Amino acid sequence: GLMLPYSGAFAPLGVAIENGVRMAINEQGGKLAGREIEWFKVDDESDPSKGIENANKLVQRDKVDVLIGTVHSGVQMGIQRVARDSGVLSLIPNAGVHAATRSLCAPNVFRTSFSNSQPTLALGQTMVNKGHKRAVWITWKYAAGDEAFEGFKESYTKAGGTIIKELGLPFPNVEFQALLTEIAALKPDAVACFFAGPSGAKFMKDFAAAGLKGKIALYGSGFLTEGLLDDELAPSAQGIMTTLHYSASLASKRNDAFRLAYAKTYKMQPDVFAVQGYDAGLLLLQGAAAVNGDLSNKKALYAAMEGAVIDSPRGKWTMSKAHNPVQDMYLRVVQGKENKVLGVAAKALSDSGAGCKLV
Ligand code: PHB
C-alpha cells in the first residue's frame, strides 16, 4: 500500500517516491523474493486530519502487508497510530517527524529518509564559518519546520551563532511578503529556513524579488532547492547553501547508474525523494529475501531490516536501533542548475532516538 500525496503542496514528492519504490522492485523482477505484489494507492493530500482514516483504507479495507508512506509529518502521525495499533509493517519514505523513531518508535516501523533535525544539525557550523553569526529562522509552522528548527538551533548556537528571530507561517501558506519585509528590517547576516516542494521555489524567488538576495545570505535544509532548479528559478537560487543527505551531483558510480536508469524509465530527473523511495524498495527487498518472501515471519524480517546496509545512491547507510538512517549529510551550493557538493558536513549522523524503547 502506497499512502502518499498525489495532490496538494507535496504532490511531486509523492510521485517521485512511488517512482523510486517501483524502480527498486522492478530492478529485481518486480517481485518480492519471488512473490507477486498487489499494489494499492491512497492520495493523502498532505492533510493530517485524514491521516488515520486514509491509513485504515489501506490496512483495514485493502488488508495490505506493507504500508509505504508518507511525506507530511502530521499525516505520518496518523500512519504511526495505525501501524502501532495494527502491527502492519510501515516504511516511512520521507516524513521526518521525531516521534516516529523516538517516543513512539515501533518494531514494525522503519524510516528510509531522515529525522527532521538531521539536515539542520549539519547546517550551523558552516554558517558561522562563513562569518554569518546573526540569523533569522523562517519555516512553515508544523512538526517538520519546528523540528528542523531544533536541529538548527542546536548546531548554530553551539557554533557561536545567535538566532535573533523565529518567523513562521501555517502550512501550506506561501504569502511570504510580510515576513520578508520583517527580515529586511531586522538586517540579519543570514536567513536559515525549512521549506519543501514547489513552494520553496516561490520562497527563493520572493526573497530575491524583495531585494534581499546578495544582501542577506540564504541557507536551508536541502529540501529548499531539491528537484526545483530550472532556468526560471536559477537566477534567484545561485549561491544558496544547504545541507542534505543527497545531491544529484554526488560523484559515484552508484548514483550515476541510478540517475541514468530513473531518467530513462520516468523521463524526469530523480531527486532526494526518489532516492528515499528507492531505498524503501531496497530495504523491503532485503527483508523479504531474508524470510524467503514470508512477511509473516516478523521476527526474522525485522532483524534483517535492522541489520540492513542500504547501498543507496546517497551513499551506503545503516539503520539506527530506533529504525532511522545513520547517514552522511552533504554541504551543497547552488551553481547553475546544480546543487554542487562541497563536502560532507556531518559524517554518519544518527538521530538521538530519545525515548525509543527499542534503543
Ligand atoms: C515533513 O513534513 O516531514 C517533510 C515534508 C517535506 C520535506 C521534508 C519533511 O521535504
Side-chain angles (χ1 to χ4, degrees):
L2 298 169
M3 176 162 156
L4 292 165
Y6 295 105
S7 59
F10 290 151
L13 289 61
V15 171
I17 289 168
E18 176 174 352
N19 288 347
V21 171
R22 287 185 185 268
M23 191 170 123
I25 291 172
N26 286 337
E27 283 177 351
Q28 305 289 318
K31 295 184 182 181
L32 275 183
R35 294 185 65 188
E36 297 284 346
I37 302 172
E38 201 178 341
W39 297 85
F40 296 86
K41 278 168 69 160
V42 165
D43 176 9
D44 69 38
E45 305 165 46
S46 292
D47 182 349
S49 73
K50 297 186 205 147
I52 291 177
E53 182 191 331
N54 280 329
N56 273 328
K57 283 184 190 159
L58 292 172
V59 173
Q60 289 184 4
R61 183 191 65 192
D62 302 331
K63 310 230 176 317
V64 301
D65 298 305
V66 187
L67 193 165
I68 301 179
T70 189
V71 170
H72 184 287
S73 276
V75 181
Q76 197 69 47
M77 290 302 283
I79 295 179
Q80 191 76 7
R81 170 83 178 275
V82 171
R84 285 167 60 97
D85 288 352
S86 66
V88 76
L89 174 58
S90 162
L91 307 183
I92 309 174
N94 185 73
V97 65
H98 285 165
T101 58
R102 292 191 187 178
S103 58
L104 294 179
C105 77
N108 54 315
V109 176
F110 293 82
R111 182 148 50 199
T112 64
S113 50
F114 55 89
S115 79
N116 281 327
S117 55
Q118 270 183 315
T120 41
L121 272 173
L123 190 58
Q125 187 66 55
T126 297
M127 292 176 61
V128 172
N129 290 351
K130 296 275 170 198
H132 298 140
K133 291 193 173 159
R134 289 173 69 257
V136 168
W137 169 261
I138 180 167
T139 192
W140 278 316
K141 289 298 293 174
Y142 79 107
D146 294 342
E147 293 175 354
F149 177 69
E150 281 180 37
F152 174 63
K153 186 175 171 190
E154 184 178 330
S155 64
Y156 191 60
T157 55
K158 203 166 145 195
T162 305
I163 300 163
I164 62 170
K165 185 103 189 183
E166 270 182 77
L167 298 173
L169 69 174
F171 174 86
N173 195 318
V174 290
E175 299 312 314
F176 301 118
Q177 207 49 56
L179 296 167
L180 291 169
T181 303
E182 196 172 344
I183 290 171
L186 287 163
K187 296 192 171 54
D189 301 331
V191 169
C193 68
F194 164 81
F195 290 111
S199 311
K202 180 164 191 301
F203 181 70
M204 290 181 275
K205 284 182 205 164
D206 287 1
F207 189 90
L212 302 182
K213 185 164 176 55
K215 289 196 189 133
I216 301 170
L218 181 55
Y219 293 87
S221 68
F223 304 113
L224 178 67
T225 58
E226 195 61 19
L228 298 174
L229 296 168
D230 59 12
D231 288 327
E232 196 203 334
L233 175 62
S236 309
Q238 294 309 298
I240 294 174
M241 285 190 173
T242 62
T243 41
L244 199 67
H245 45 289
Y246 180 66
S247 167
S249 70
L250 269 181
S252 71
K253 278 194 183 146
R254 184 77 181 99
N255 191 35
D256 288 349
F258 167 77
R259 299 195 64 80
L260 207 66
Y262 188 98
K264 219 172 134 186
T265 307
Y266 300 111
K267 315 287 180 240
M268 59 201 273
Q269 293 298 321
D271 54 17
V272 72
F273 308 107
V275 170
Q276 292 166 176
Y278 185 73
D279 289 2
L282 293 182
L283 179 66
L284 185 56
L285 285 159
Q286 284 197 27
V291 294
N292 290 317
D294 178 9
L295 299 187
S296 71
N297 185 355
K298 293 190 173 180
K299 202 164 170 239
L301 175 64
Y302 301 162
M305 291 172 69
E306 279 170 351
V309 177
I310 301 298
D311 187 12
S312 168
R314 76 182 92 167
K316 284 202 171 91
W317 61 266
T318 56
M319 206 48 99
S320 74
K321 291 210 167 75
H323 300 177
N324 188 71
V326 178
Q327 57 190 337
D328 294 348
M329 289 289 148
Y330 304 100
L331 176 63
R332 313 149 1 131
V333 63
V334 177
Q335 273 185 14
K337 289 185 275 180
E338 251 195 2
N339 286 299
K340 188 176 175 228
V341 175
L342 296 177
V344 174
K347 186 87 196 145
L349 185 65
S350 187
D351 187 76
S352 75
C356 173
K357 302 268 163 43
L358 304 170
V359 176

